[in-house]
Amino acid sequence: MSDQNRLGVFKTYKLYVGGKFPRSESGRVYEVTDSKGQWLANAPQSSRKDARDAVVAARKAFGGWSGATAYNRGQVLYRVAEMLEGRKEQFVREVAASEGLSKSKAAAVVDAAIDRWVWYAGWTDKIGQISGGANPVAGPFFNLSTPEPTGVVTVLAPQKSSFLGLVSVIAPVIATGNTAVVIASADAPLPALSLGEVLATSDVPGGVVNILSGATAELAAPLAAHQDVNAIDLTGAGAELAKELEIAAADNLKRVLRPLAAEADGSDTSTDWLAAPGTHRLTAFLETKTVWHPTGALGASGSSY
């Protein structure tokens, strides 16, 4: 049978919550179009109930993920990069359509996103060496500071960089042992929803990353005020929305990562996501635990070490 006689099989995009693919609890969808206004797909329009369900899933997964060894988390992140490499052509198509890029430019963006997963995978067992250490104290004590994950982090993904920017804000959150509730780009959610399929078929435990699509402000407001969310990344929020969310986040003293100046209008068009990311996103959602321990005595002489 020729392709001309086949019925089109359109992809059904779904949310990714708790390792599963639910439709929105509200039953709503919205049209996603390309840069020229051509229809691409219907995406689920998440509700506040979906956001609360995502927080429950993220909290449930936090204990196991944060308790895993840093080396193991690095292996898991590297596995995600392997899976993305195998589905590169799909993401090139989605990024090209979502961002209005040529195929060659979209391929470069996808390659950079895969490389970024590998980069953060390498940091999982090294970040403790630059954000912790032994502290000099006056007395016979060990004084050690070590980084620990903050907990459940809400991430507002960049609005324009639908894949590289998305990876750049998700990977550092989970690399350091946090779990994430991600609000995808409202206008270009398809690469994010497809990323959920990759995460589900890699070694990332269900609930570690939860991906919602829909109106950013509608979903971000209840998450910023949610008492079981420990931190929020405001990258994908415009200046006015970011201010409102920061005020709501203060209720339970959430850690807040403010958008950079280039991202403050929500467009993030001038943000160079291809640039080396540094470590500021890795340390943004870490707490420092300091432990004192007496050194003790060695032998009858009473000398200490």
Side-chain angles (χ1 to χ4, degrees):
M1 180 183 295
S2 67
D3 290 341
Q4 294 179 345
N5 296 325
R6 291 192 65 231
L7 291 175
V9 180
F10 297 106
K11 182 173 180 177
T12 302
Y13 288 88
K14 297 181 182 179
L15 307 177
Y16 182 57
V17 177
K20 299 179 181 179
F21 297 95
R23 290 179 169 84
S24 172
E25 165 274 337
S26 67
R28 298 178 300 173
V29 297
Y30 69 101
E31 291 188 355
V32 178
T33 59
D34 64 15
S35 59
K36 297 179 180 179
Q38 298 296 314
W39 180 86
L40 292 175
N42 289 337
Q45 187 168 342
S46 305
S47 67
R48 294 185 174 211
K49 174 65 164 57
D50 294 318
R52 292 194 298 270
D53 290 345
V55 174
V56 171
R59 177 58 62 191
K60 184 178 180 181
F62 176 70
W65 184 244
S66 62
T69 65
Y71 176 73
N72 178 249
R73 287 199 297 271
Q75 289 180 309
V76 171
L77 263 68
Y78 187 81
R79 177 61 177 164
V80 174
E82 289 180 345
M83 300 296 288
L84 286 172
E85 188 75 25
R87 296 179 61 166
K88 185 188 300 185
E89 290 186 8
Q90 173 194 348
F91 282 96
V92 168
R93 290 195 304 271
E94 289 181 338
V95 169
S98 297
E99 301 181 22
L101 301 177
S102 66
K103 185 176 180 180
S104 60
K105 289 184 178 180
V109 167
V110 173
D111 285 343
I114 296 171
D115 291 346
R116 188 136 303 169
W117 273 111
V118 176
W119 194 83
Y120 279 116
W123 269 107
T124 57
D125 58 356
K126 301 174 183 65
I127 190 64
Q129 300 171 40
I130 67 168
S131 60
N135 308 310
V137 293
F141 302 99
F142 290 126
N143 183 262
L144 304 174
S145 293
T146 56
E148 292 191 338
T150 295
V152 176
V153 181
T154 291
V155 178
L156 277 62
Q159 296 297 328
K160 300 299 182 183
S161 184
S162 63
F163 191 53
L164 176 56
L166 174 80
V167 168
S168 298
V169 295
I170 294 178
V173 169
I174 65 171
T176 47
N178 298 288
T179 54
V181 177
V182 182
I183 304 175
S185 165
D187 294 331
L190 304 188
L193 297 177
S194 290
L195 177 62
E197 298 172 2
V198 171
L199 297 174
T201 53
S202 65
D203 297 326
V204 180
V208 170
V209 178
N210 305 274
I211 300 176
L212 306 173
S213 58
T216 300
E218 178 184 354
L219 297 171
L223 289 171
H226 200 298
Q227 296 298 298
D228 205 25
V229 173
N230 305 106
I232 186 168
D233 180 347
L234 298 176
T235 296
E240 184 175 345
L241 177 59
K243 183 178 180 180
E244 294 175 2
L245 297 177
E246 191 168 358
I247 292 171
D251 192 43
N252 72 332
L253 304 179
K254 290 180 178 64
R255 295 177 71 91
V256 176
L257 181 62
R258 297 170 180 83
L260 301 175
E263 304 160 356
D265 62 352
S267 66
D268 59 76
T269 52
S270 57
T271 304
D272 185 8
W273 292 106
L274 290 168
T279 59
H280 77 284
R281 288 188 180 278
L282 284 164
T283 57
F285 303 117
L286 287 174
E287 308 285 348
T288 300
K289 179 178 72 175
T290 300
V291 176
W292 292 70
H293 195 282
T295 58
L298 290 177
S301 63
S303 62
S304 299
Y305 61 89

